[in-house]
Amino acid sequence: MSKPITEAEVIAAAERAQAPSLRNIRTDIEDRSFGLPAALHVIYFGAFLAYLGIMAVGFPHPEMVLPMAIFFTFVIAAFAVPMAWTRIAPDRSSRAMRLDTLLAKGIATETGKSSGGDAVAQVLILPLLIVGWGIAAVSIAALA
């Protein structure tokens, strides 16, 4: 049930309850580059944009303009948000790893140390397969 509260009781309750002090608990993040070179991110998302371009050119239809615009917008946003995340560090002391450094030294993964070539293959296999799938789909549709 409810009961009326007087103004004095409200003031007394407000004096007892202190607002919690909020602090940014993630200020200890040193590396915001996800441990991979920027060039690898560009190739990764470039492959998705290439797939969308292949599909847009291979299946030109006026009704596909809006869906393709939405697809391109989402892929560009999926690239722009991580890129912005790496640039908003308060005191950007770390830089993204260079591609030649990755290829020379490799990278530590959850399953152990991987060579640079293996890491590049692991990152790019799915986007390149998707581009190949797009080329195959457009080729089959062109022959039919």
Side-chain angles (χ1 to χ4, degrees), residues 26-32 86-95:
R26 294 304 306 216
T27 56
D28 61 334
I29 296 175
E30 293 288 328
D31 184 16
R32 294 181 178 227
T86 62
R87 296 180 190 271
I88 62 171
D91 52 349
R92 233 178 100 174
S93 60
S94 67
R95 306 269 312 159

Coordinates of all heavy atoms in Angstrom, one line a residue, residues 26-32 86-95:
R26 N 37.8 2.2 -17.3 CA 38.6 1.7 -18.4 C 39.7 2.7 -18.9 O 40.0 2.7 -20.0 CB 37.7 1.3 -19.6 CG 36.8 0.2 -19.3 CD 37.5 -1.1 -18.8 NE 38.6 -1.4 -19.8 CZ 38.9 -2.6 -20.1 NH1 38.3 -3.6 -19.5 NH2 39.9 -2.9 -20.9
T27 N 40.2 3.5 -18.0 CA 41.3 4.4 -18.4 C 42.6 3.7 -18.5 O 43.6 4.3 -19.0 CB 41.4 5.6 -17.4 OG1 41.6 5.0 -16.1 CG2 40.1 6.4 -17.4
D28 N 42.6 2.4 -18.1 CA 43.9 1.7 -18.2 C 44.2 1.1 -19.5 O 45.1 0.4 -19.7 CB 43.9 0.6 -17.1 CG 42.8 -0.4 -17.3 OD1 41.7 0.0 -17.9 OD2 42.9 -1.5 -16.8
I29 N 43.3 1.3 -20.5 CA 43.5 0.7 -21.8 C 44.7 1.3 -22.5 O 44.7 2.5 -22.7 CB 42.2 0.9 -22.7 CG1 41.0 0.1 -22.1 CG2 42.5 0.4 -24.1 CD1 39.7 0.3 -22.8
E30 N 45.7 0.5 -22.8 CA 46.9 1.0 -23.4 C 46.8 1.0 -25.0 O 47.1 1.9 -25.6 CB 48.1 0.2 -23.0 CG 48.4 0.4 -21.5 CD 49.0 1.7 -21.2 OE1 49.7 2.3 -22.1 OE2 48.8 2.2 -20.1
D31 N 46.3 -0.1 -25.5 CA 46.3 -0.3 -26.9 C 44.8 -0.4 -27.4 O 44.1 -1.4 -27.1 CB 47.0 -1.6 -27.2 CG 47.1 -1.8 -28.7 OD1 46.9 -0.9 -29.5 OD2 47.4 -3.0 -29.1
R32 N 44.4 0.5 -28.1 CA 43.0 0.5 -28.7 C 43.0 0.1 -30.2 O 42.0 0.3 -30.8 CB 42.4 1.9 -28.5 CG 42.2 2.3 -27.1 CD 41.6 3.7 -27.0 NE 41.3 4.0 -25.6 CZ 40.2 4.5 -25.2 NH1 39.2 4.7 -26.0 NH2 40.0 4.8 -24.0
T86 N 40.0 3.9 -31.9 CA 41.4 3.9 -31.8 C 41.9 5.4 -31.7 O 43.0 5.6 -31.2 CB 42.1 3.3 -33.0 OG1 41.8 4.0 -34.2 CG2 41.7 1.8 -33.1
R87 N 41.1 6.3 -32.2 CA 41.6 7.7 -32.2 C 41.1 8.5 -31.0 O 41.6 9.6 -30.8 CB 41.1 8.4 -33.4 CG 41.7 7.8 -34.7 CD 41.2 8.5 -35.9 NE 41.6 7.8 -37.1 CZ 42.7 8.0 -37.7 NH1 43.6 8.9 -37.3 NH2 43.0 7.3 -38.8
I88 N 40.2 8.0 -30.1 CA 39.7 8.8 -29.0 C 40.4 8.5 -27.7 O 39.9 8.9 -26.7 CB 38.2 8.6 -28.8 CG1 37.9 7.1 -28.5 CG2 37.4 9.0 -30.0 CD1 36.4 6.9 -28.1
A89 N 41.5 7.8 -27.8 CA 42.3 7.6 -26.5 C 42.7 8.9 -25.9 O 43.1 9.8 -26.6 CB 43.5 6.7 -26.8
P90 N 42.6 9.0 -24.6 CA 42.9 10.3 -23.9 C 44.3 10.7 -24.1 O 44.6 11.9 -24.5 CB 42.6 10.0 -22.4 CG 42.2 8.6 -22.3 CD 42.1 8.0 -23.7
D91 N 45.3 9.9 -24.0 CA 46.7 10.2 -24.2 C 47.2 9.1 -25.1 O 47.8 8.2 -24.6 CB 47.4 10.4 -22.9 CG 47.3 9.2 -22.0 OD1 46.4 8.3 -22.3 OD2 48.0 9.1 -21.0
R92 N 47.0 9.3 -26.4 CA 47.4 8.2 -27.3 C 48.9 8.0 -27.4 O 49.6 8.5 -28.2 CB 46.9 8.7 -28.7 CG 46.0 7.7 -29.4 CD 45.6 8.2 -30.7 NE 46.4 7.6 -31.7 CZ 46.3 7.8 -32.9 NH1 45.3 8.5 -33.4 NH2 47.1 7.2 -33.8
S93 N 49.3 7.1 -26.5 CA 50.7 6.8 -26.4 C 51.1 5.6 -27.3 O 52.2 5.5 -27.8 CB 51.2 6.5 -25.0 OG 50.5 5.4 -24.5
S94 N 50.1 4.8 -27.6 CA 50.4 3.6 -28.5 C 49.9 3.8 -29.9 O 48.9 4.5 -30.1 CB 49.8 2.4 -27.8 OG 48.4 2.5 -27.9
R95 N 50.6 3.3 -30.8 CA 50.2 3.3 -32.2 C 49.8 1.9 -32.7 O 50.3 0.9 -32.0 CB 51.3 3.9 -33.1 CG 51.8 5.2 -32.6 CD 51.2 6.4 -33.2 NE 51.0 6.3 -34.6 CZ 50.1 7.0 -35.3 NH1 49.4 7.9 -34.6 NH2 50.0 7.0 -36.6

